[in-house]
Amino acid sequence: MNSPENHKRASSSVLVVGLCWLSQMGAAVAESDWPQFRGPTGDGIVASQRPPTHFGSGQSHLWSVELPGKAWSSPIVVEDEIWMTTAIEILPTDEERLELLRKTANEEKKFKQLAIAKSVELKALVVDCSSGELTRTIDLTTVVEPDAIHSLNSYASPTPTTDGDTVYCHFGTFGTFAIQRSTGDIAWQRVLPLQHAVGPGSSPFLLGDRLILIQDGMERQYVTALNKQTGQTLWESDRPPMDAPTGDQMKSYCTPIEIKDPSGRPQLICMGAQWMVSYDADSGDEIWRIRHGRGFSVVPRPVYRDGTLYFATGFGSMELWAVRVDGEGDVTDSHVVWTISRGVPAKPSPLLLQDRLYVVDDNGVASCLDIHDGSTVWKKRLGGKFSSSPIFAGGHIYFGNHDGDVFVMTPGDEPEVVVTNELDDQIMASPVVIDHTLIIRTASALHRFGDS
């Protein structure tokens, strides 16, 4: 079994890796902030924090606040402010719904799995981290007759990001907004049209003076960098050619990461349908590409360690891949370390701790893999459906499912589910850890748990 001393050594090791990655990203925010999807280092690891393991049902409950609208975006935290996006939907009647869906590019046989609104008001929300008070609601735009989304998606699923002074909210084809944090004023906004088919999903990524957006739609697939101060396009790079029969199998929803390979070369990693691609972030030029098959609609954010990249390949061909990042050009035949095809998530992102990769698939089966060869160390059924990505903090892994259950597990080769906390509300967003407290967004509210 893993002893407390082993947990301490593991946490220290992960902390060093996380801090190194944070320095590579050149983050302008404080180390104690949570500035983007999956936290300071973008991988769900905050080893120096020790949030509570037992919470809910009155335990360690600091506050809760009801939130307006529907949104699956995760919160971000800067100084003592929690920022989120939301969408206020004006819903149609059943007859109006069918009429609206027929105006979209979706096939009628897929209507049952789609949702659509007559109009949607997109907003940014600000909650005081200490008191839990909803202090600001910032109106961004109203979209009349928006495109349809998947019934499991929302019109506000991408997570915002911040450099400390400006908060960037992205809603895919419905708009991208730069908000001055001190005033709540919109500094600039852009609309980059795209056919998502089932709604937006890719979160924006800040890298130096650039805001990176993955724009993988049905009709076009590309990556773009915007000037974070003006919103002007700095570069666009089209994706490699695809051989799918329809645009539906060319779309994707992944969020970028930045890495440095063993030689110190920086790379912008942008996962897409059929291809994983590395770019030069300054120019948008392609560094290398790898064909991962026919996977599409990719959601999980990749993770990286010591020259190897780990990523899931999405729907249509659900696999987990490990590839070396020291190549150039098409490295499909030369840089694959291993692949597996069982227990692979379509939505939750992987978690990488030391030489173990932890994943939970959409149907609630958690797995631990050896990063050297992809072999399974263990599998454990948690139960429920999963979309939220796990985090690691204080020697524990936190998994949240659609039913509002949060499983707190010890990592290692002999894991233990320490406790299952029940929040009685749907969890789609990923958890946040700040000042040794846990912040969880559910379908209707925002909660903070910690020692008072």
Side-chain angles (χ1 to χ4, degrees):
M1 294 291 289
N2 286 340
S3 68
E5 185 60 32
N6 287 339
H7 288 161
K8 183 176 180 180
R9 286 197 296 269
S11 298
S12 299
S13 175
V14 172
L15 175 61
V16 170
V17 172
L19 292 178
C20 289
W21 194 351
L22 184 60
S23 66
Q24 290 174 12
M25 292 175 65
V29 294
E31 181 187 322
S32 59
D33 290 337
W34 193 278
Q36 62 170 326
F37 176 53
R38 304 206 77 199
T41 52
D43 58 2
I45 296 174
V46 280
S48 62
Q49 297 285 328
R50 306 196 74 83
T53 55
H54 294 68
F55 52 88
S57 302
Q59 296 184 81
S60 301
H61 186 213
L62 297 178
W63 51 255
S64 293
V65 58
E66 291 188 7
L67 300 176
K70 177 183 177 181
W72 303 151
S73 58
S74 300
I76 62 170
V77 183
V78 54
E79 294 182 350
D80 200 38
E81 293 181 342
I82 304 171
W83 284 72
M84 295 159 290
T85 57
T86 195
I88 310 295
E89 301 178 18
I90 306 301
L91 297 177
T93 64
D94 290 344
E95 185 176 318
E96 289 171 332
R97 175 181 175 274
L98 287 175
E99 182 181 346
L100 289 170
L101 286 172
R102 290 190 181 107
K103 294 180 181 180
T104 71
N106 294 282
E107 301 175 67
E108 191 155 347
K109 64 181 181 180
K110 295 185 177 180
F111 284 3
K112 287 185 179 180
Q113 67 185 35
L114 297 176
I116 197 165
K118 292 171 62 175
S119 67
V120 59
E121 300 173 4
L122 302 178
K123 303 175 184 287
L125 306 176
V126 184
V127 171
D128 184 276
C129 197
S130 298
S131 67
E133 179 186 359
L134 178 61
T135 58
R136 282 191 283 179
T137 299
I138 302 169
D139 297 329
L140 299 177
T141 190
T142 297
V143 182
V144 178
E145 293 193 5
D147 293 340
I149 61 174
H150 195 281
S151 58
L152 281 178
N153 200 6
S154 76
Y155 284 101
S157 288
T159 296
T161 188
T162 183
D163 61 6
D165 296 322
T166 305
V167 175
Y168 300 88
C169 298
H170 180 60
F171 300 88
T173 191
F174 306 118
T176 305
F177 303 84
I179 306 169
Q180 295 176 350
R181 192 169 68 84
S182 59
T183 64
D185 295 334
I186 299 174
W188 59 260
Q189 62 187 76
R190 290 283 306 272
V191 175
L192 302 174
L194 205 66
Q195 293 180 16
H196 296 297
V198 292
S202 175
S203 297
F205 177 56
L206 276 172
L207 186 57
D209 62 355
R210 297 170 295 281
L211 183 70
I212 309 296
L213 303 176
I214 291 181
Q215 295 279 100
D216 287 338
M218 292 178 65
E219 81 288 16
R220 185 187 174 197
Q221 304 81 38
Y222 69 101
V223 179
T224 187
L226 307 183
N227 182 305
K228 75 172 188 178
Q229 296 180 335
T230 66
Q232 294 180 327
T233 299
L234 298 175
W235 54 257
E236 290 183 356
S237 291
D238 286 327
R239 294 300 209 165
M242 300 187 197
D243 58 3
T246 67
D248 186 64
Q249 295 174 24
M250 299 180 187
K251 67 186 189 306
S252 200
Y253 308 98
C254 206
T255 299
I257 65 171
E258 189 213 15
I259 67 168
K260 285 188 177 179
D261 65 22
S263 70
R265 176 180 59 172
Q267 300 182 32
L268 175 65
I269 302 297
C270 296
M271 178 64 173
Q274 301 186 20
W275 295 93
M276 166 63 83
V277 186
S278 167
Y279 299 93
D280 182 312
D282 291 328
S283 64
D285 293 339
E286 185 179 296
I287 298 174
W288 55 262
R289 66 172 73 171
I290 194 163
R291 173 66 186 257
H292 60 72
R294 293 188 176 274
F296 61 93
S297 293
V298 188
V299 176
R301 196 176 193 183
V303 291
Y304 171 76
R305 171 81 55 76
D306 296 335
T308 303
L309 185 71
Y310 306 88
F311 58 89
T313 60
F315 292 86
S317 177
M318 293 175 61
E319 296 178 334
L320 197 65
W321 283 49
V323 303
R324 299 198 320 274
V325 300
D326 57 350
E328 293 184 4
D330 190 333
V331 297
T332 305
D333 296 330
S334 58
H335 280 61
V336 179
V337 180
W338 53 258
T339 67
I340 66 166
S341 57
R342 292 186 178 181
V344 179
K347 294 189 289 293
S349 302
L351 191 66
L352 178 56
L353 302 174
Q354 296 185 309
D355 60 354
R356 296 290 183 260
L357 192 67
Y358 299 86
V359 296
V360 61
D361 69 19
D362 296 41
N363 294 315
V365 177
S367 302
C368 173
L369 309 173
D370 187 309
I371 65 170
H372 300 105
D373 58 10
S375 60
T376 300
V377 179
W378 54 257
K379 284 183 178 292
K380 192 174 188 69
R381 176 168 291 281
L382 300 179
K385 301 291 186 179
F386 281 76
S387 294
S388 171
S389 296
I391 63 167
F392 173 79
H396 295 92
I397 302 173
Y398 294 73
F399 300 94
N401 70 13
H402 291 190
D403 296 327
D405 300 324
V406 182
F407 303 88
V408 182
M409 178 186 289
T410 56
D413 293 356
E414 298 180 25
E416 175 189 359
V417 176
V418 176
V419 64
T420 301
N421 301 283
E422 298 178 0
L423 299 188
D424 298 324
D425 198 8
Q426 188 178 28
I427 296 176
M428 302 291 279
S430 298
V432 169
V433 177
I434 290 292
D435 294 334
H436 306 290
T437 68
L438 189 67
I439 296 172
I440 297 178
R441 182 180 195 171
T442 62
S444 62
L446 186 70
H447 311 268
R448 190 180 187 192
F449 302 99
D451 297 329
S452 57

